[in-house]
Amino acid sequence: MPVEKKYETPLLDQLESGGWPSFVKEIKSAAEDNAMANDLLGLLEQSYQEKIGHWKHGGIVGVMGYGGGVIGRYTDLPEKYPAISHFHTMRINQPAGWFYTSEALRTLCDIWDAHGSGLTNMHGSTGDIIFLGTRTEELEPIFSKLTAAGFDLGGSGSDVRTPSCCCGKARCEWACYDTMGLTYYITNRYQDELHRPAFPYKMKFKMSGCPNDCVASVARADISIIGTWRDEIQVNQEEVRNYAKSGLDITKEIAMLCPGKCIEWNGNEIQIDNSNCRHCMHCINLMPKALAPGKDRGAAILVGSKAPIVEGALLSSVLVPFIKLEEPYDDLEIWELIENMWDIWCEEGKNRERIGEFIQRVGLGNFLDAVGLEPQPEMVAFPRDNPYVFYEEYFEEEEDQ
């Protein structure tokens, strides 16, 4: 039913005047038929006028049997804005690679229009489908309809967050493993860890099919699974010459910008010292018809990235330099490693301490000992700069003598 407009919003109106699409326009569109969206306009306008927020955290709220997936939110002005006295956010587990049919999208929108504000975020920074704003009594009906439609809630709180990935082999020729298949497997394998928070803090999996890392897993995921190769880059010399003829300065734009300084161009052929290749994809990105990742493909497992919350921002560090990721995924050794990491982190980690911060605090050497992993050169971020550090084998040899 149409909702009578109750609020003047001069400050919000200004946000519609720019060159970019405005969230205000979308809220106003939803407010024509939805009382929650209508009250939201009034609350936002008041917050802009007073320069303070009027939301408060509502504690724990969710669906039966799940500890995650719903973020409780209430306004501190329930009498003035009764339609949004409850305004909970629901996270819905997105399809791997964000592929939808039109029917699936219509189903999601119909469910949300019937039980919530009609406002969505496609997609949140976690990757989830975000349903913005519903009442506590509507949570179970929404969950029931989502389940019937084949959807599930995603992760929230101190649990495994909804795994996400790039489109992988579905649309990208550089994908070194099936990101969508692995994401689907991880989502099913770790259902309990995803829906029932039991960790010191959040734990994110993000899968990228190649070192281009289109989902930015190296900056955002506690466990980054990034496709790579371990043989030689594939080269088509004729296509290299075609790029040169078309005006590409291979020496300046590729060889001189190579971080491994492993490329040479003699005017006729390109030579690559693959032993010094950093797998950065720069040359492949500039000459996609001439170069391609090697044929022996798999992935590197990195750990520890996060945004600056308790400590500063971190990028993931290499944990496993290379592993083949092929079905059956049940047989892979990385699950034992991941679960060993969780065990030590859960036992020794502090509240709200991400696993990257935990590794910083206890030291990478101690962490590797605890999870049963041997150190490897690829784990070294930069050469040792402290001369007063000695290998344990040095002391063991002296004791034997």
Side-chain angles (χ1 to χ4, degrees), residues 67-69 154-161 192-199 201-204:
S156 68
S158 299
D159 60 10
V160 169
R161 297 299 180 84
D192 195 55
E193 291 81 2
L194 202 157
H195 290 132
R196 296 170 182 87
F199 293 154
Y201 202 21
K202 66 184 80 170
M203 165 62 63
K204 297 181 179 180

Side-chain angles (χ1 to χ4, degrees), residues 290-329:
L291 305 176
K295 296 180 179 180
D296 187 9
R297 300 180 180 187
I301 313 298
L302 296 87
V303 64
S305 65
K306 57 175 281 294
I309 300 177
V310 177
E311 297 288 343
L314 295 174
L315 294 179
S316 289
S317 301
V318 174
L319 196 66
V320 179
F322 186 86
I323 184 172
K324 299 290 282 188
L325 290 178
E326 299 171 346
E327 294 187 278
Y329 297 123

Side-chain angles (χ1 to χ4, degrees), residues 20-38:
W20 297 97
S22 171
F23 71 94
V24 176
K25 178 182 178 181
E26 302 303 323
I27 298 174
K28 286 182 177 179
S29 177
E32 294 176 4
D33 301 298
N34 189 290
M36 296 187 78
N38 191 51

Side-chain angles (χ1 to χ4, degrees), residues 57 59-63 66-73 87-92 134-136 139-140 143 153-157 159:
H57 191 278
I60 297 174
V61 63
V63 300
Y66 280 21
V70 179
I71 297 94
R73 188 165 289 116
F87 202 74
H88 308 315
T89 292
M90 299 187 75
R91 289 181 177 168
I92 316 303
T134 191
R135 299 187 62 80
T136 303
L139 294 175
E140 289 294 346
F143 182 53
L153 297 189
S156 68
D159 60 10

Side-chain angles (χ1 to χ4, degrees), residues 190 193 199 203 205 338-346:
Y190 293 124
E193 291 81 2
F199 293 154
M203 165 62 63
F205 285 94
I338 288 170
E339 287 152 25
N340 286 344
M341 289 165 49
W342 287 350
D343 286 344
I344 188 67
W345 178 46
C346 287

